[in-house]
Amino acid sequence: MRAWTRGAAALAAAIGCVATAGTAGTAVAAGGQGRTVLWEAGRFAPAVPGDPRPPEALTYDEDLVPAGAEVFVRQRVLGDRMRVEVTVGGLVPGHTYGTHVHVAPCTADPAASGGHYQNVPGVVTQENEVWLDFTADSAGVGRAVAVREWVFREGGAASVVLHERATSHGHDGHPPGDAGGRAACFTVPFLGTGAGAGPVPAV
Ligand SMILES: [Cu+2]
């Protein structure tokens, strides 16, 4: 087991969450002044059409995202700002994965996760969406962080999708936001604008 996996597993255990193969673990922790953190961990498994209970982490392209690859997503909300971090292990070394937060959960149908989450609907820019492109290192581990001066609408962001190539800014012949086919999808119930308000959720 690689160091990053051990570290993430130790952290997950520390906050009361244990990730197992084919499932996702969730932990929500809240501190003072509306500070709220969400962790999700999963292990990619092939999508099986018709599966009534598909795993939270689905691969649609096992050449790019092999079964067994692990994914961790962390979101921190601080008032009206947020930070989203994704780490994936077990990928193709040197490959760049266009990666975004999408609006709907994953199913065996790659299109089910819908479009990119947009802060201002209809505006396709990196700043108005959450792009988390990364290039896997020599060990097949990729990591990206996005900080935004806004927070998802409640229930409006539901997955992280890995695509087959880097996200276009519109200067390379592809439309802005386009990153090719969907290689994998991880369902994440992202925290929304209500994070930090109301009762503290149980950890
Ligand atoms: Cu996408």
Side-chain angles (χ1 to χ4, degrees), residues 56-120:
E56 285 86 351
L58 290 168
T59 174
Y60 308 118
D61 183 340
E62 292 189 64
D63 291 332
L64 288 178
V65 182
E70 293 177 280
V71 56
F72 298 86
V73 172
R74 181 177 188 265
Q75 179 196 16
R76 187 173 69 163
V77 177
L78 267 167
D80 56 2
R81 308 173 68 232
M82 67 174 179
R83 181 179 185 278
V84 179
E85 177 181 345
V86 62
T87 307
V88 188
L91 299 177
V92 178
H95 188 82
T96 298
Y97 296 78
T99 303
H100 323 112
V101 173
H102 281 237
V103 299
C106 319
T107 77
D109 176 4
S113 51
H116 297 176
Y117 182 91
Q118 297 174 328
N119 182 43
V120 177

Side-chain angles (χ1 to χ4, degrees), residues 98-102 113-116 129-131 160-163 167 177-182:
T99 303
H100 323 112
V101 173
H102 281 237
S113 51
H116 297 176
E129 302 183 345
V130 176
W131 297 6
V160 173
V161 174
L162 277 64
H163 294 257
T167 307
D178 178 56
R182 300 178 183 202

Side-chain angles (χ1 to χ4, degrees), residues 102-105 117 151-159 188-195:
H102 281 237
V103 299
Y117 182 91
V151 179
F152 297 125
R153 291 176 289 278
E154 205 64 48
S159 58
V188 179
F190 282 104
L191 302 171
T193 48

Side-chain angles (χ1 to χ4, degrees), residues 12 31 33 35 37 47 80 89 94 105 108 117 134 136 146 156 161 177-178 186-187 195-196 198:
Q33 300 183 342
R35 186 179 304 209
V37 176
D80 56 2
Y117 182 91
F134 57 80
V161 174
D178 178 56
F186 182 39
T187 296

